[in-house]
């Protein structure tokens, strides 16, 4: 009996040691990768990284000038010149090339050509067949008078925005402005839950998130959440009833149940988070960062499976918005004075609106039907333009607009769309970690089975029963990992699937 117990505990100790040492290996690998240049970059002799296309271009980009040395060699022989597909050596330098059906982006990478997004004439569904394009509208929309246009059926949408005078309402064409609430401090981020006719907003003076039910008789806001400082962006998961926000004080994306009972950070360690958006039907959470490393990223609703979408030609993305029918993300850059868009997988990027006198300090952003809307702090205007090409610009001057939301039920649908196909990716470190985890699990099972056999309880003990179901760890961002007691007490929280 003692020998079996000693073996049991020895195997458990071995499994524990494997588990403890596994993260260290992962951390070391991450640090190693952080010191290495990307495949699209050239490694200077002093260790710094510059774009591979800058090598041998008659301009010293490395501080030590090493990018202009040995320019007579075939750069394609080294890491394929940083090209994702074809590298073509030239008398001076090299160029990257792409196979048929693909095009070159950022000088080094190839992406599939999408005829629909290249033509960019359909508001919603685009069908490419036999060399021609056909535009269709999703459920709840009808064809407009112009080809490719889709208009929302039923009630007209409303533009709701926060301002120095309070929360305001107006028609999309800028007419019939009216006040919803009185002044509640310096205007800030704004979002909505249309199914419950509820608005959520914050301001820069307080640490509260306010809530207002639009069909309530008194029209008085209440405090949904307190103690949340530095809020820059707000977004509602209308399927799982969760509020997400970014905070430049905590450097994180947070999530809270809409009843205000629980909240927790979902993404942490961000340098300067600005905006946030959510697509709960596909399980996507998006956020933007400014500061020294501006970027736009995506993850699951629980913060797992992070993926970077935009890192180049971006300086200060202050707001993001989703075009749900087309699966596109739009962002406004306050330093580039532009509005751009990209697919959910980071491909098919396009700048839609460039500096036009009304993009000096954009703040809020929304997309609906054929247009993209934004608020501008500098001009005190709310503008809209064609979401395909930035034409047909129309602006309405209001009082210090900030947060912006287009209010219509079709902007928060409950039917599940077909998720976009994405190429599978493999992370060697993740595979190594999974192998070690498998070894740990096998060691534990072997130890348990050996112990049960020695104790003579293999067939009767419920602990050793092979048919006992196992509970899967929750993916809810509001439930701490591994906390099974939280499941039992969590009557008012909605689960968030991956």
């Amino acid at each position: 009996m003692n020998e079996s117990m000693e073996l049991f505990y020895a195997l458990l100790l071995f499994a524990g040691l494997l588990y403890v040492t596994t993260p260290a290996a992962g951390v070391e690998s991450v640090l190693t990768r952080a010191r290495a240049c990307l495949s699209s970059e050239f490694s200077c002799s002093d260790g710094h990284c510059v774009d591979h296309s800058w090598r041998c271009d008659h301009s010293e980009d490395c501080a030590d000038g090493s990018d202009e040395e040995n320019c007579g060699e075939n750069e394609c022989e080294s890491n394929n010149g940083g090209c994702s597909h074809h590298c073509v050596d030239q008398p001076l330098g090299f160029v990257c090339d792409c196979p048929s059906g693909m095009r070159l982006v950022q000088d080094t990478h190839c992406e599939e050509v999408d005829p629909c997004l290249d033509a960019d004439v359909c508001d919603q569904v685009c069908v490419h067949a036999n060399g021609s394009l056909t535009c269709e509208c999703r459920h709840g929309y009808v064809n407009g008078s112009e080809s490719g246009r889709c208009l929302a059926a039923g009630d007209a949408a409303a533009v709701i925005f926060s301002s120095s005078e309070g929360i305001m309402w107006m028609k999309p064409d800028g007419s019939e402005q009216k006040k919803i609430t009185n002044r509640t401090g310096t205007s800030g981020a704004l979002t909505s839950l249309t199914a419950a006719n509820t608005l959520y907003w914050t301001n820069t003076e307080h640490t509260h998130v306010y809530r207002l039910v639009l069909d309530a008789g008194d029209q008085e806001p209440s405090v949904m959440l307190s103690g949340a400082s530095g809020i820059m962006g707000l977004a509602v998961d209308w399927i799982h009833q969760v509020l997400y926000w970014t905070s430049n004080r905590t450097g994180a994306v947070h999530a809270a149940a809409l009843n205000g009972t629980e909240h927790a950070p979902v993404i942490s360690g961000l340098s300067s988070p600005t905006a946030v958006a959510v697509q709960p039907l596909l399980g996507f959470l998006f956020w933007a960062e400014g500061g020294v490393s501006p970027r736009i990223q995506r993850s699951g609703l629980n913060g797992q499976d992070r993926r970077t979408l935009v890192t180049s030609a971006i300086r200060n993305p202050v707001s993001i918005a989703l075009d749900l029918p087309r699966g596109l993300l739009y962002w406004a850059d306050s330093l580039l004075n532009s509005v751009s868009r990209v697919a959910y997988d980071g491909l098919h990027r396009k700048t839609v609106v460039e500096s036009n006198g009304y993009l000096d300090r954009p703040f809020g952003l929304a997309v609906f039907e054929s247009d993209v809307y934004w608020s501008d702090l500098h001009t005190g205007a709310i503008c809209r333009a064609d979401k395909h090409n930035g034409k047909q610009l129309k602006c309405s001057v209001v009082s210090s607009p900030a947060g912006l939301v287009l209010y219509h039920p079709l902007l928060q649908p409950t039917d599940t769309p077909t998720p976009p196909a994405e190429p599978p990716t493999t992370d060697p470190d993740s595979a190594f970690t999974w192998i070690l985890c498998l070894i740990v699990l096998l060691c534990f099972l072997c130890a348990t089975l050996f112990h049960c056999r020695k104790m003579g309880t293999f067939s009767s003990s419920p602990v050793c029963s092979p048919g006992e179901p196992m509970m899967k760890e929750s993916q809810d961002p509001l439930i701490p990992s591994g906390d099974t007691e939280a499941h039992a007490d969590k009557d008012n929280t909605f689960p968030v699937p991956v």
Side-chain angles (χ1 to χ4, degrees), residues 26-369:
V27 170
E28 181 180 359
S29 176
V30 169
L31 292 177
T32 300
R33 287 199 305 269
R35 290 191 297 268
C37 295
L38 300 176
S39 61
S40 60
E41 295 177 322
F42 172 77
S43 178
C44 303
S45 298
D46 58 6
H48 288 84
C49 303
V50 299
D51 195 289
H52 218 302
S53 62
W54 296 351
R55 173 162 165 73
C56 297
D57 62 352
H58 297 294
S59 175
E60 293 186 357
D61 300 291
C62 295
D64 56 12
S66 56
D67 60 312
E68 298 300 317
E69 298 176 354
N70 301 319
C71 290
E73 65 183 12
N74 186 349
E75 293 88 357
C76 294
E77 295 178 353
S78 175
N79 195 29
N80 198 38
C83 302
S84 63
H85 288 72
H86 303 322
C87 180
V88 181
D89 187 46
Q90 295 186 333
L92 181 62
F94 68 98
V95 294
C96 297
D97 196 13
C98 299
S100 176
M102 304 186 77
R103 65 179 169 199
L104 190 66
V105 293
Q106 299 176 17
D107 296 327
T108 57
H109 286 73
C110 300
E111 72 175 20
E112 295 284 347
V113 173
D114 187 321
C116 286
L117 289 179
D118 278 0
D120 207 2
V121 294
C122 298
D123 275 356
Q124 297 187 351
V125 180
C126 175
V127 179
H128 176 247
N130 299 323
S132 62
L133 302 178
T134 303
C135 298
E136 300 176 357
C137 297
R138 295 195 182 275
H139 176 72
Y141 294 83
V142 296
N143 292 317
S145 56
E146 297 181 37
S147 176
R149 301 305 190 189
C150 295
L151 303 176
D155 296 337
V159 176
I160 300 178
F161 58 95
S162 59
S163 72
S164 59
E165 297 181 358
I167 305 299
M168 308 293 291
W169 174 98
M170 71 178 186
K171 288 186 176 181
D173 62 4
S175 64
E176 298 187 25
Q177 296 183 24
K178 64 181 181 180
K179 185 182 299 184
I180 296 177
T181 70
N182 292 323
R183 185 177 184 274
T184 56
T186 305
S187 50
L190 174 72
T191 189
S192 67
L193 179 63
T194 56
N197 290 324
T198 304
L199 299 178
Y200 300 87
W201 73 91
T202 185
N203 62 61
T204 58
E205 297 176 348
H206 304 155
T207 59
H208 307 317
V209 175
Y210 295 96
R211 171 173 50 204
L212 176 68
V213 180
L214 294 178
D215 54 8
D218 54 5
Q219 294 288 302
E220 286 295 325
S222 61
V223 175
M224 172 211 159
L225 187 69
S226 297
S229 61
I231 296 180
M232 302 297 292
L234 290 173
V236 164
D237 175 350
W238 62 92
I239 297 296
H240 307 101
Q241 307 288 295
V242 174
L243 177 72
Y244 290 89
W245 71 90
T246 52
S247 171
N248 60 8
R249 294 285 182 86
T250 63
V253 179
H254 298 261
L258 287 182
N259 56 21
T261 57
E262 305 180 46
H263 70 86
V266 180
I267 303 288
S268 57
L270 305 179
S271 61
S272 183
T274 55
V276 62
V278 61
Q279 217 300 18
L281 299 176
L282 298 179
F284 290 159
L285 174 67
F286 304 89
W287 67 95
E289 290 182 78
V292 295
S293 299
R295 66 189 63 206
I296 297 175
Q297 292 185 289
R298 189 197 83 191
S299 75
L301 297 180
N302 58 2
Q304 302 298 314
D305 303 321
R306 290 174 62 168
R307 177 171 182 170
T308 301
L309 303 182
V310 181
T311 57
S312 63
I314 184 172
R315 295 182 61 189
N316 191 34
V318 293
S319 54
I320 58 179
L322 303 182
D323 185 354
L324 296 181
R326 295 202 297 169
L328 299 176
L329 178 145
Y330 283 70
W331 75 92
D333 194 310
S334 64
L335 292 181
L336 295 179
N337 308 120
S338 63
V339 175
S340 304
R341 55 91 162 155
V342 72
Y344 291 167
D345 56 6
L347 302 178
H348 309 298
R349 176 174 175 170
K350 177 181 180 180
T351 297
V352 178
V353 186
E354 296 186 88
S355 183
N356 55 17
Y358 290 94
L359 269 170
D360 294 335
R361 289 185 62 195
F363 190 96
L365 189 69
V367 182
F368 184 58
E369 295 180 336

